[in-house]
Amino acid sequence: MLADAERHAGQFMRAAETYQRVSSAFDRLGLADTASNAVLLNNWAIDLVALGQPVRAARLIERVMEIDRASGGVDGFTSTVYARILVQLERPAEARAVLEPALQNAVRNGNRNSANMVRMALAGADRETGDLVRAATMLDAAQREISTMLPPGHEAFGALHSSRAQLAYRGRDLAAALVEVDQAIRVFGARPGLVEREATARELKSRILLDLGRLDEALREAQRGRQAFDELLGPSAT
């Protein structure tokens, strides 16, 4: 689908316009309650998150969940997307309530990919509620699984390092946070199509360096992150 290609290319604003047009067409054709529309709305929500519009994204995912429930149940991917949005909206306890049954279902069904995705999201929710020990436990479990499933350098390892960096930063272990975020940047920077994730990691690194009193380095990282976002979204987005 064109909108998905635009999103993967980092053309988030153009993708949002395309998703809007296709969604309107689905409505006119009476396809609003179909699985195809659920996929469309899910991907559109991910695009809106990248554009910094989590409230709109949450509404779309809530509609996806309505469609999924009518056809058998909400899958782990949708639950994870919704939970990450809830964390952005400072509703981490609600995010955990969404994720706990999703993890149980994934483990029961033997879906390792889904289970790991949910564990990573749970770690984020736990971090934001202040339960750093439980967050670390979730990341440890995810790492054990990912290490047996994926090759070194896969973007999942970048996501894991990024999550560990955020957790260490929340716990004020700035040295550990810096090590982890550097590893995340290396993984994201080595793979095409991950500019947004690399830019986000660089912004985190800038905050870490600032707290360490390394002001010049912090400014350089902030500028590199901003430049990457400008390339993706246009200067007005930052």
Side-chain angles (χ1 to χ4, degrees), residues 53-91:
Q53 300 180 39
V55 174
R56 284 187 67 198
R59 293 194 191 105
L60 291 180
I61 292 296
E62 286 162 2
R63 175 66 181 125
V64 171
M65 295 170 82
E66 288 178 3
I67 297 170
D68 287 351
R69 289 190 189 103
S71 61
V74 180
D75 63 23
F77 180 76
T78 299
S79 297
T80 299
V81 172
Y82 187 49
R84 291 188 187 282
I85 294 169
L86 290 174
V87 169
Q88 285 192 34
L89 295 173
E90 299 182 354
R91 295 159 59 186

Side-chain angles (χ1 to χ4, degrees), residues 46-226:
I46 294 170
D47 187 69
L48 290 175
V49 170
L51 287 169
Q53 300 180 39
V55 174
R56 284 187 67 198
R59 293 194 191 105
L60 291 180
I61 292 296
E62 286 162 2
R63 175 66 181 125
V64 171
M65 295 170 82
E66 288 178 3
I67 297 170
D68 287 351
R69 289 190 189 103
S71 61
V74 180
D75 63 23
F77 180 76
T78 299
S79 297
T80 299
V81 172
Y82 187 49
R84 291 188 187 282
I85 294 169
L86 290 174
V87 169
Q88 285 192 34
L89 295 173
E90 299 182 354
R91 295 159 59 186
E94 293 175 64
R96 170 162 269 283
V98 169
L99 291 166
E100 286 180 327
L103 180 58
Q104 292 170 3
N105 289 338
V107 171
R108 182 170 56 248
N109 296 329
N111 190 332
R112 297 172 70 191
N113 285 325
S114 181
N116 287 329
M117 191 165 44
V118 175
R119 288 186 183 104
M120 295 280 285
L122 274 167
D126 288 335
R127 181 188 70 238
E128 294 307 309
T129 59
D131 193 338
L132 306 189
V133 173
R134 188 161 63 176
T137 299
M138 284 293 165
L139 291 179
D140 289 344
Q143 183 169 0
R144 285 193 296 271
E145 289 290 303
I146 290 170
S147 297
T148 66
M149 295 169 59
L150 299 171
H154 190 280
E155 67 181 270
F157 289 100
L160 181 65
H161 288 304
S162 180
S163 293
R164 287 198 181 281
Q166 293 175 67
L167 182 60
Y169 185 67
R170 181 66 179 262
R172 305 309 295 164
D173 187 346
L174 300 181
L178 188 59
V179 170
E180 294 289 351
V181 79
D182 275 336
Q183 293 187 67
I185 289 169
R186 279 195 292 273
V187 173
F188 294 145
R191 298 179 66 87
L194 300 179
V195 177
E196 178 206 356
R197 303 188 79 170
E198 180 185 354
T200 300
R202 288 193 182 281
E203 287 198 339
L204 173 58
K205 183 178 179 179
S206 175
R207 295 200 302 273
I208 296 167
L209 290 168
L210 184 63
D211 286 359
L212 286 168
R214 295 160 60 175
L215 304 186
D216 290 343
E217 294 174 79
L219 179 59
R220 284 196 296 271
E221 285 298 329
Q223 289 172 336
R224 293 179 73 175
R226 185 186 185 100

Side-chain angles (χ1 to χ4, degrees), residues 13 226-227 229-238:
M13 298 178 106
R226 185 186 185 100
Q227 181 180 7
F229 277 124
D230 285 350
E231 290 172 359
L232 285 171
L233 306 177
S236 63
T238 57

